[in-house]
Amino acid sequence: MEPGERGATRIADRVVAKIASQAAREALRGGGAADSGADGGADTGADAGVDPGVDAGEVVLADVAGAARPYAVAAVRGGVARVRVAVELGYPSDIGAHCGAVRRQVIERVGEMTGMEVPEVAVTVERLRVPRWERPERRARRGRDRVR
């Protein structure tokens, strides 16, 4: 019997979901979105920063500190993984381009890391986040700009 035929490898749904979540984050940080022609560089992680390969001007409105990381759920059956990813995007942004970049990156990463086919990636935009500096009404509600 050949060494590769002695057993089986099973990759848990949560492992595929973790790979998909990280791939979505990579796409939104600029790798996938910038390459696909999107307006670029939205970082949905809590450590919002400018990637060396992304022009700082592209990040201004889409890069929001404190945004939630992409969340993914996967269902694995045989060698096929179906994935759902929830993301937050900066406002304004090209939603279609960002979702397409996430979809492509998830398919590529899950496929190369697990060897699975990914026929379906459903991307849900959970929230559009406006940068803090464009929401002065929130500061006023917190009491910092009130006149006494």
Side-chain angles (χ1 to χ4, degrees):
M1 190 183 285
E2 292 293 319
E5 296 175 4
R6 293 185 193 159
T9 302
R10 182 183 182 295
I11 300 172
D13 295 359
R14 67 182 181 185
V15 172
V16 174
K18 180 73 172 183
I19 294 168
S21 177
Q22 182 61 33
R25 187 168 185 227
E26 291 169 3
L28 293 173
R29 288 191 77 163
D35 292 344
S36 69
D39 60 335
D43 180 4
T44 59
D47 62 339
V50 178
D51 280 359
V54 178
D55 180 42
E58 293 178 334
V59 180
V60 175
L61 293 176
D63 192 10
V64 181
R69 292 182 180 202
Y71 176 79
V73 177
V76 178
R77 302 290 177 262
V80 177
R82 298 192 187 285
V83 180
R84 287 183 290 147
V85 182
V87 299
E88 287 185 10
L89 299 176
Y91 178 84
S93 67
D94 185 345
I95 295 171
H98 283 292
C99 290
V102 167
R103 208 172 278 113
R104 284 186 295 277
Q105 187 75 0
V106 168
I107 290 168
E108 180 182 325
R109 283 281 193 236
V110 170
E112 72 186 20
M113 293 183 82
T114 66
M116 293 181 187
E117 178 185 345
V118 186
E120 178 182 333
V121 177
V123 181
T124 303
V125 178
E126 293 285 329
R127 180 183 303 179
L128 293 176
R129 296 191 54 111
V130 177
R132 280 181 252 161
W133 60 85
E134 290 191 3
R135 294 188 293 190
E137 70 280 358
R138 287 199 64 178
R139 286 188 3 237
R141 281 186 276 159
R142 282 188 258 158
R144 286 191 272 187
D145 292 339
R146 291 186 187 170
V147 176
R148 296 180 189 214

